[in-house]
Amino acid sequence: MTAVEEAPLSPAGNPIGFGNMKRVEDQRFIRGEGNYVDDVNLPGMLHSAILRSPYAHARIKSIDTSAAEALPGVVAVITGKTLEGIPRPSLLGDNFAWMPTLSYDTQAVLATDKVRFQGQEVAFVVATDRYIAKDALELIDVDYEQLEPVMDAKKAMEPGAPVIRDDKGQTDNSITDVHGHKTWESGNAIGTAEAIAQAENDPNCVVVTQEIMYPRVHPAPMETCGSVSYLDKVTGQLTMYTTSQAPHAHRTVYAMVAGLPEHKIRIISPDVGGGFGNKVGVYPGYVLSVIGTIVTGKPVKWMEDRGENLMSTSFARDYHMTGTIAATKEGKILAVDVDVLADHGAFNGVAQPTNYPAGFFHIFSGSYDYPHAHCKVTPVYTNKAPGGVAYACSFRITEAVYLIERLVDCLAAELNMDPAELRLKNLLRPEQFPYTSPTGWEYDSGEYEKTMRVAMEIAGYDELRKEQEEKRARGEYMGIGFSFFTEGVGAGPRKDMDILGLGMADGIELRVHPTGKAVLRLSVQSQGQAHETTYAQIVAHELGINPEDIEVVHGDTDQTPFGLGTYGSRSTPVSGAAAAVVSRKVKERARQVAAAALECSPDDLEWELGRWFVKGDKERGKTITEIALLSHGSLELPEGVEGHLDATAVYNPPNLTYPYGCYICVVDVDPGTGQVKVRRFIAVDDCGTRINPMVVEGQVHGGLADGIGMALMELIAFDEDGNNLGGSFMDYLLPTAMECPTYELGETVTPSPHHPIGAKGVGESATVGSPPAVVNAVMDALAPFGVRHADMPLTPANVWRAIQGNPIRVDMAVE
Amino acid sequence: MQTPAPLEEYVRATSVADAIAQLEKYGEDARLVAGGHSLIPMMRLRLARPEALIDINDLDELKSIKVEGNEIVIGAMVRHREVLDSPLLFEHYPIFRECEKVIADPVVRNRGTVGGSYCQADPSEDLSALGSALRGSVVIQNSTGTRTVPMREFHFGPYMTQVGDGEILTEVRFPIRPGAGSAYEKVERRVGDWAVTSVGTFVVVKNGVVEDCGIGLAAVGAEHFCVPAAEEFLIGKAPTEENLVQAATLAAEGCNPSSDQRGPADYKKHLAKELTLRALRRSVQSSQGA
């Protein structure tokens, strides 16, 4: 089916409903009139800077701040000792030196005993300007006793490894979750082990095992993290402008952490310059700006520079995975078993909403039909920055999709079978939906083969294989890589999901003014997703109000209802559904008012876009604009019908939505230099109903660039001394237009059956789905050299080394 | 936002003589700023903290590309973009265009200068490989006069050159070699990145024999960005594939790369050979006498 009927156009030429519409946000962005946190300047505002640890692991023997305090312009110098002296009247600890993480661990706001990663926060300077604050950092004298760092996750649990979290009384570097578990299992261990053992002993079956690493990368949003905090000592009101993807969640966390009354906290996230998960967590810097205003009585701005952002804020991935896949020789997959070593850094700061502490990783059975799946994840502490779930990853579905899509290609290589054919043999069939996966996920809808055929059609797959064969005969190496991914997005049902006990339903408010113009107040927070455009389109679709007549308000906790924010592709599945539901409530009220005005029963009315009319008498009716005025006017309303035209809603999703897609990447590899050129990228996404196809395609384009970046160049590695080797954009490479081809997009539309408008989340689809397609393409190109796997990023050096049979270990310094 | 350390003085020089006088006035803590694409980022990271900046962007006398006798002369303040676009340079040595095309990105090339690149003396600097390949020279001026230093004697080591306190590099000079073919090869992890390895070559083929050639290599620890043994081997021989391979092998043997995140040493050494071979092949092909 096609998405929806074409919407009629408003006087401004915008669709009154779904369809392409230019982003209203761009009016200010392309004029340079956006308003970001660093643009906020309050009267009397002070600036700040954070002294960070040069070492990955060291004991702090003493800190001398006297010279810094004596520098003219310095207002306050705060250390961990200062924070230990500030009592905190909250349930989560008795002073400010430590704060809870989103995974029930603790994290130092400012180090008191030891530093545990390079870049960790050690002291905080508040000064009259940013330059003086930075000058003062150089005057702080910290006496460190260096300790041996734990940089190799594979060695973190070896006997005698230095213990990182001695603050918690630990004797090793294991991580224990809130349920008391040190390993996190999902699926059927026994059934999977039996199926694999059986296959090993069956001459008609094969078993393939592959070590696959998803190295540490960073979301690297264009805008770094920062905040401006001001505590009004008279009213007790704390106002905080901050780079947050989840303003309401942040407010509640500050209330719990700082013991401040929640009704006195106002969080404002103005324009946010990209998030990708980097702006979900609460960082020490945010807390320090609050402490700064408490201490000085003045507004305090804290804003990271690029190096600070790359070195200290939420990373992503860092999963050492070993996958085993069993199949018949005809290519029917039987079972997959996965063992993961998960590097969580120095504090377990993972943001994820389920009972399963590895997030959504256990969706790794992917898009295929097989009965047995099991995974075991062992998390460890290392002397690296904390975080763990970020970068458009859908709570670790990125790792899961990469694992299964690489494993399937390794299996295809083992079977000497075309990877497309192998996938087509195993894809879930339409009649299996709703489908319950072997690890317990209920996929809502899908017609996978159709989507894959569309992608192969666009690619001209058979011709590509012919071209490859001809080129190989000439000694040229091109590769074709597939990825078929399924995501679960839209966290989440209250019964299954929460973050720090906060449920994941989204509130929304819609008010239609007397003149028929409307304002919609969202709990979610755009970081570039075009909510101001697409949410107006949802209301327009439901009520027939012109989208340009609908103001979308978000990013201010004083002006919007509660909800958990925007990440994990959750806005459209949850808050987008709320927008449809609240519009329908208003529509129902409008019906009551129209019935009163038309002196008929509400049951006698019929809806067409923007208008209720009397059944069988189309001329007799009232438009939504007329009804808006009537509902605010003197019209006598029946008993039980409230005046005005507004409603609120809270949407608790019954399930996640499951977008999916088939991606095909075509690369050319120069074996003499190892250089990879991504020549073509075909992306066919099925995200259900598309509210604004142009916005969807924009998100897909961005995600594909992300994926090409991770596959080919992005990396945070560390040397053995604990130095971060990706701490600037000179070392942490992001792809440019020169590395990205002209994308070839396609779509199929399989609506979500449980979402009010049939939409699914799409924000992360391309980031999740594209890395395996690129890597599979490169491995396909290198097949004549006998190469089956090399870890990302596939830099020229790594590709050349793979050809030599000696791929680089990517998480450590290149040797 | 990054925040440089305090700067005592900023002055705009009005002539080369004035720039030298200012340098002498402020001593060893003074730095010239040309395009600013190396110095300013280093200042922002506080890796460099000069006390005085002497801006030489107004020195029009350093902004021309011209032929003098049998030499091409490029002023120190010529921007990368002008080198890239210069028909004069392209006519004599296509390597200029090939090399500039892969230096950084358009924004940097619009502002960064030839003199600044040579004085920064990054071990991965593409123009250093080019200059060494063409056996150019630089002109250095101080208050007592000027001197000309061959490119192959210009560097003391990474980030260290013959330009001393109170001195300014005013121009670079390249001998014109009629009939020379030239080429530049670079492997980078991403457009705009520093070279993993890069190689520039020129070859003059006459009567079926290599009459002259130059090989310059960046980022692979070649002393003065060159390996003379490889050139000596090739001169006087026929430019056969076998001889080119041998020259490339010798070039790689003369390199001493170190491992870093751009790649391991064995890979860089391989690239030194591979890229030398590729550049030599194309240079031979385009040599007018070939």
Side-chain angles (χ1 to χ4, degrees):
Chain A
M1 63 175 279
T2 52
V4 279
E5 288 169 34
E6 212 162 294
L9 296 182
S10 72
N14 294 319
I16 308 175
F18 304 151
N20 286 338
M21 171 176 163
K22 285 186 180 167
R23 292 155 38 101
V24 299
E25 293 89 340
D26 291 342
Q27 290 289 340
R28 60 182 187 275
F29 292 143
I30 62 174
R31 287 178 166 89
E33 296 290 334
N35 185 39
Y36 299 89
V37 167
D38 206 17
D39 296 319
V40 173
N41 285 301
L42 302 180
M45 186 177 80
L46 299 172
H47 297 262
S48 67
I50 292 174
L51 181 71
R52 295 177 181 278
S53 167
Y55 304 116
H57 200 191
R59 192 165 302 286
I60 297 175
K61 292 165 76 178
S62 65
I63 303 179
D64 182 355
T65 60
S66 52
E69 282 162 22
L71 185 72
V74 170
V75 180
V77 181
I78 293 163
T79 65
K81 271 222 159 58
T82 326
L83 299 183
E84 281 180 325
I86 305 177
R88 173 172 56 187
S90 85
L91 298 172
L92 295 167
D94 56 7
N95 68 65
F96 277 102
W98 291 81
M99 64 178 191
T101 71
L102 295 177
S103 284
Y104 300 92
D105 195 1
T106 50
Q107 175 174 358
V109 176
L110 290 174
T112 52
D113 53 340
K114 286 202 309 192
V115 288
R116 293 176 170 83
F117 67 93
Q118 188 185 52
Q120 188 180 339
E121 299 79 1
V122 173
F124 183 65
V125 171
V126 184
T128 48
D129 76 39
R130 200 189 295 249
Y131 289 82
I132 293 172
K134 277 277 170 78
D135 294 346
L137 296 186
E138 298 176 359
L139 300 173
I140 298 173
D141 185 15
V142 184
D143 188 6
Y144 292 104
E145 176 196 341
Q146 284 192 65
L147 304 170
E148 186 190 338
V150 180
M151 306 316 300
D152 184 344
K154 293 179 176 176
K155 295 180 181 166
M157 289 300 288
E158 282 179 0
V163 177
I164 297 166
R165 297 303 303 276
D166 45 346
D167 58 296
K168 296 168 68 171
Q170 295 222 172
T171 54
D172 62 19
N173 294 314
S174 65
I175 293 177
T176 309
D177 69 20
V178 69
H179 316 292
H181 300 139
K182 287 180 192 289
T183 56
W184 305 331
E185 293 195 54
S186 179
N188 180 353
I190 296 168
T192 305
E194 281 175 0
I196 289 171
Q198 216 165 32
E200 275 169 343
N201 294 318
D202 186 338
N204 294 316
C205 292
V206 294
V207 176
V208 177
T209 295
Q210 183 64 53
E211 274 187 52
I212 296 169
M213 184 186 193
Y214 209 132
R216 178 174 279 235
V217 291
H218 197 277
M222 195 180 295
E223 179 202 31
T224 58
C225 298
S227 53
V228 177
S229 300
Y230 177 52
L231 179 71
D232 183 324
K233 288 204 163 157
V234 176
T235 62
Q237 170 103 16
L238 173 71
T239 305
M240 193 170 178
Y241 297 83
T242 191
T243 51
S244 173
Q245 296 177 227
H248 288 279
H250 276 199
R251 179 178 61 178
T252 303
V253 169
Y254 290 123
M256 295 196 295
V257 171
L260 295 167
E262 193 166 4
H263 67 297
K264 294 285 192 186
I265 303 175
R266 179 182 184 187
I267 305 285
I268 301 169
S269 282
D271 287 326
V272 177
F276 313 106
N278 189 237
K279 292 164 181 169
V280 173
V282 171
Y283 294 120
Y286 297 154
V287 176
L288 289 167
S289 77
V290 175
I291 289 165
T293 183
I294 291 172
V295 169
T296 64
K298 297 275 174 55
V300 172
K301 177 186 280 186
W302 168 71
M303 199 76 216
E304 288 172 338
D305 65 28
R306 180 62 57 191
E308 292 181 287
N309 181 256
L310 285 169
M311 289 176 71
S312 72
T313 62
S314 257
F315 70 96
R317 331 286 191 247
D318 221 340
Y319 257 33
H320 300 256
M321 306 180 278
T322 304
T324 300
I325 186 165
T328 67
K329 284 195 170 158
E330 284 74 45
K332 186 80 195 86
I333 301 172
L334 303 168
V336 174
D337 196 14
V338 186
D339 197 350
V340 180
L341 177 66
D343 187 334
H344 281 234
F347 309 103
N348 182 21
V350 169
Q352 72 82 28
T354 66
N355 272 330
Y356 184 62
F360 292 6
F361 178 73
H362 57 141
I363 198 171
F364 68 86
S365 67
S367 314
Y368 309 110
D369 179 22
Y370 58 90
H372 304 293
H374 168 254
C375 69
K376 184 178 96 178
V377 177
T378 306
V380 293
Y381 288 118
T382 59
N383 286 113
K384 303 181 187 175
V389 167
Y391 204 166
C393 76
S394 300
F395 303 117
R396 292 213 195 274
I397 291 181
T398 318
E399 290 91 325
V401 165
Y402 183 64
L403 173 88
I404 186 68
E405 289 307 294
R406 275 272 57 232
L407 269 187
V408 167
D409 261 39
C410 291
L411 175 64
E414 183 76 20
L415 295 171
N416 198 21
M417 187 180 280
D418 184 307
E421 186 192 340
L422 180 59
R423 283 180 172 81
L424 286 166
K425 271 188 184 171
N426 289 282
L427 283 178
L428 292 165
R429 298 178 309 280
E431 65 272 18
Q432 289 177 283
F433 291 88
Y435 166 79
T436 303
S437 84
T439 51
W441 299 79
E442 192 189 302
Y443 298 5
D444 58 350
S445 63
E447 289 193 49
Y448 288 1
E449 182 174 340
K450 185 168 100 182
T451 304
M452 183 147 170
R453 299 268 182 212
V454 170
M456 290 169 73
E457 176 78 29
I458 295 173
Y461 184 60
D462 295 339
E463 290 76 44
L464 280 174
R465 284 290 176 208
K466 258 183 234 148
E467 182 192 345
Q468 182 184 40
E469 203 176 315
E470 288 163 14
K471 284 198 162 151
R472 277 184 184 167
R474 294 202 300 267
E476 293 171 31
Y477 296 87
M478 71 174 269
I480 306 153
F482 277 85
S483 162
F484 198 107
F485 66 91
T486 299
E487 280 196 282
V489 302
R494 295 171 77 115
K495 64 179 179 5
D496 300 324
M497 297 186 191
D498 68 86
I499 289 181
L500 285 179
L502 300 172
M504 302 189 82
D506 276 325
I508 202 158
E509 294 174 10
L510 175 61
R511 191 190 303 166
V512 184
H513 300 307
T515 56
K517 315 290 183 192
V519 56
L520 182 72
R521 297 173 187 278
L522 313 179
S523 62
V524 290
Q525 166 67 37
S526 174
Q527 314 119 46
Q529 289 90 340
H531 289 169
E532 291 164 38
T533 308
T534 55
Y535 277 75
Q537 290 184 265
I538 296 173
V539 175
H541 173 79
E542 295 291 333
L543 293 178
I545 300 175
N546 299 326
E548 60 270 20
D549 292 338
I550 302 160
E551 188 73 13
V552 175
V553 177
H554 61 112
D556 181 346
T557 55
D558 269 13
Q559 291 202 49
T560 58
F562 187 85
L564 278 207
T566 295
Y567 42 83
S569 303
R570 67 182 298 278
S571 293
T572 294
V574 187
S575 180
V581 168
V582 80
S583 298
R584 288 170 194 181
K585 284 187 176 178
V586 165
K587 189 159 90 181
E588 187 51 37
R589 172 94 61 80
R591 179 185 188 144
Q592 307 290 334
V593 174
L598 296 166
E599 297 177 336
C600 66
S601 159
D603 293 341
D604 293 336
L605 294 179
E606 198 173 319
W607 175 259
E608 64 175 349
L609 188 63
R611 186 171 178 268
W612 284 109
F613 64 91
V614 178
K615 282 179 195 165
D617 185 2
K618 203 154 184 190
E619 295 303 305
R620 258 184 85 206
K622 293 286 178 195
T623 66
I624 195 80
T625 307
E626 291 166 338
I627 297 168
L629 194 55
L630 287 165
S631 61
H632 289 85
S634 54
L635 173 71
E636 193 72 27
L637 295 174
E639 209 179 309
V641 178
E642 292 181 14
H644 299 181
L645 196 54
D646 52 23
T648 65
V650 178
Y651 187 79
N652 175 33
N655 188 9
L656 302 177
T657 65
Y658 291 79
Y660 58 91
C662 181
Y663 291 174
I664 302 174
C665 179
V666 183
V667 300
D668 294 309
V669 176
D670 179 339
T673 62
Q675 284 167 300
V676 173
K677 174 81 189 161
V678 178
R679 193 208 311 169
R680 291 180 67 192
F681 205 109
I682 296 96
V684 179
D685 277 277
D686 192 323
C687 57
T689 305
R690 294 184 173 206
I691 298 159
N692 185 328
M694 196 159 67
V695 167
V696 170
E697 287 170 13
Q699 296 217 19
V700 170
H701 279 210
L704 295 178
D706 268 348
I708 290 170
M710 287 183 287
L712 299 183
M713 62 194 80
E714 292 184 38
L715 175 69
I716 302 265
F718 294 83
D719 68 17
E720 290 203 344
D721 296 329
N723 294 306
N724 185 322
L725 303 176
S728 80
F729 277 162
M730 199 168 91
D731 304 304
Y732 191 81
L733 299 179
L734 295 171
T736 73
M738 298 296 285
E739 282 76 39
C740 300
T742 300
Y743 301 120
E744 300 166 67
L745 304 190
E747 64 170 8
T748 58
V749 177
T750 311
S752 169
H754 63 75
H755 188 280
I757 57 171
K760 301 180 176 185
V762 74
E764 297 157 311
S765 288
T767 314
V768 167
S770 55
V774 179
V775 176
N776 285 344
V778 176
M779 293 305 120
D780 184 52
L782 300 185
F785 297 103
V787 177
R788 198 170 80 176
H789 180 75
D791 287 327
M792 300 184 286
L794 296 172
T795 59
N798 199 6
V799 170
W800 181 79
R801 273 287 202 82
I803 294 171
Q804 314 308 310
N806 185 23
I808 287 168
R809 177 165 176 190
V810 296
D811 58 327
M812 305 295 288
V814 171
E815 284 181 356
Chain B
M1 190 180 85
Q2 282 151 349
T3 45
L7 180 69
E8 300 295 328
E9 287 294 339
Y10 168 83
V11 289
R12 291 187 81 93
T14 53
S15 64
V16 170
D18 180 43
I20 292 168
Q22 299 285 355
L23 280 172
E24 288 185 333
K25 179 178 166 191
Y26 292 106
E28 61 177 346
D29 293 321
R31 285 289 175 276
L32 297 176
V33 60
H37 273 68
S38 299
L39 181 59
I40 303 296
M42 287 170 73
M43 289 172 64
R44 289 165 71 99
L45 293 166
R46 300 194 173 200
L47 296 172
R49 38 204 331 162
E51 286 178 10
L53 272 191
I54 297 151
D55 190 328
I56 54 172
N57 278 278
D58 295 338
L59 305 191
D60 292 341
E61 58 211 276
L62 303 181
K63 291 182 180 170
S64 66
I65 302 173
K66 61 194 174 200
V67 171
E68 273 181 20
N70 66 343
E71 281 189 315
I72 298 167
V73 182
I74 304 177
M77 285 304 295
V78 168
R79 316 275 170 187
H80 290 292
R81 167 68 191 271
E82 296 167 281
V83 176
L84 178 66
D85 289 347
S86 165
L88 173 76
L89 293 174
F90 183 71
E91 181 197 325
H92 291 285
Y93 289 114
I95 188 176
F96 276 104
R97 188 171 293 175
E98 291 190 9
C99 177
E100 282 291 353
K101 228 176 163 172
V102 292
I103 291 179
D105 52 49
V107 178
V108 173
R109 291 198 294 264
N110 284 341
R111 187 88 195 141
T113 64
V114 169
S117 296
Y118 279 114
C119 289
Q120 178 69 15
D122 190 291
S124 305
E125 173 57 52
D126 291 290
L127 281 185
S128 295
L130 177 149
S132 209
L134 298 185
R135 290 197 287 276
S137 56
V138 304
V139 178
I140 300 167
Q141 189 172 334
N142 59 27
S143 57
T144 62
T146 64
R147 65 183 193 282
T148 302
V149 176
M151 207 72 92
R152 293 186 175 189
E153 294 169 19
F154 178 62
H155 298 92
F156 291 131
Y159 308 104
M160 288 183 291
T161 73
Q162 296 259 12
V163 181
D165 292 340
E167 294 193 324
I168 175 170
L169 185 155
T170 54
E171 57 192 37
V172 290
R173 309 177 78 98
F174 300 95
I176 293 170
R177 300 180 178 93
S182 62
Y184 198 76
E185 293 280 344
K186 177 179 182 178
V187 169
E188 51 191 354
R189 292 175 299 175
R190 187 202 63 193
V191 67
D193 189 22
W194 290 100
V196 179
T197 298
S198 59
V199 179
T201 61
F202 85 86
V203 177
V204 180
V205 182
K206 256 200 189 133
N207 305 322
V209 170
V210 175
E211 188 188 75
D212 195 4
C213 77
I215 301 171
L217 306 97
V220 279
E223 202 179 346
H224 294 298
F225 297 87
C226 60
V227 181
E231 298 163 352
E232 286 157 16
F233 167 80
L234 201 55
I235 292 173
K237 292 200 174 64
T240 60
E241 177 71 6
E242 194 187 349
N243 284 332
L244 299 186
V245 169
Q246 182 57 23
T249 305
L250 289 169
E253 281 171 5
C255 295
N256 185 24
S258 45
S259 296
D260 59 22
Q261 290 309 94
R262 293 197 172 81
D266 61 342
Y267 170 64
K268 293 182 183 180
K269 208 147 185 162
H270 161 78
L271 278 186
K273 179 182 171 184
E274 180 72 26
L275 299 187
T276 301
L277 180 60
R278 290 182 186 194
L280 282 175
R281 279 182 192 145
R282 292 201 293 115
S283 298
V284 167
Q285 254 172 27
S286 66
S287 171
Q288 285 162 22

